[in-house]
């Protein structure tokens, strides 16, 4: 399962299903960059008010749990977890 075979447009659509209230516009950046940036924002808890933000480890746990419990395809779950792992390594 390599990234080269991944349709990031499809993967971004699957990710949107997990987060019903987020639009996640690509704005000319492309699906891959949009997805990675959104996962980074999620792990850094940038979508929350600063006083209630959680640390990246708590956010990682919550994000992975949300992905696993979602109804998206198994392949999409694995790819999203892989991307979360890569972003988490980058943030550490």
């Amino acid at each position: 399962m390599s990234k080269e075979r991944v349709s990031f447009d499809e993967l971004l659509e699957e990710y949107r299903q997990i987060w019903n209230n987020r639009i996640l516009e690509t704005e000319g950046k492309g699906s891959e960059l949009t997805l990675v940036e959104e996962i980074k924002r999620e792990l850094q808890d940038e979508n929350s008010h600063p006083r209630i933000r959680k640390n990246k480890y708590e956010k990682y746990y919550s994000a992975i749990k949300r992905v696993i419990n979602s109804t998206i395809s198994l392949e999409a779950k694995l790819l999203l977890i892989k991307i979360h792992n890569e972003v988490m390594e980058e943030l550490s």
Side-chain angles (χ1 to χ4, degrees), residues 38-88:
E38 184 56 34
I39 289 173
K40 187 179 284 187
R41 285 178 46 82
E42 177 186 350
L43 294 177
Q44 292 176 326
D45 207 9
E46 293 179 4
N47 297 320
S48 298
H49 189 279
R51 284 184 282 177
I52 60 169
R53 287 189 178 150
K54 297 177 181 171
N55 69 49
K56 62 186 173 191
Y57 301 104
E58 290 174 297
K59 291 303 291 184
Y60 174 81
Y61 173 78
S62 298
I64 297 304
K65 185 175 176 182
R66 187 176 191 118
V67 168
I68 290 170
N69 291 330
S70 70
T71 59
I72 63 174
S73 70
L74 181 58
E75 183 178 12
K77 288 180 184 184
L78 293 174
L79 291 170
L80 286 173
I81 290 170
K82 182 177 181 180
I83 294 169
H84 275 80
N85 288 344
E86 291 171 357
V87 171
M88 191 64 170

Side-chain angles (χ1 to χ4, degrees), residues 2-45:
S2 67
K3 280 188 175 182
E4 293 78 34
R5 297 183 308 170
V6 175
S7 165
F8 281 96
D9 292 335
E10 292 174 13
L11 193 58
L12 184 59
E13 266 314 306
E14 299 258 20
Y15 188 77
R16 283 183 178 122
Q17 291 178 28
I18 296 172
W19 298 100
N20 297 335
N21 59 341
R22 294 190 191 167
I23 297 171
L24 304 176
E25 292 293 329
T26 56
E27 301 170 1
K29 296 184 286 188
S31 298
E32 181 177 7
L33 184 58
T34 300
L35 181 61
V36 170
E37 286 178 354
E38 184 56 34
I39 289 173
K40 187 179 284 187
R41 285 178 46 82
E42 177 186 350
L43 294 177
Q44 292 176 326
D45 207 9

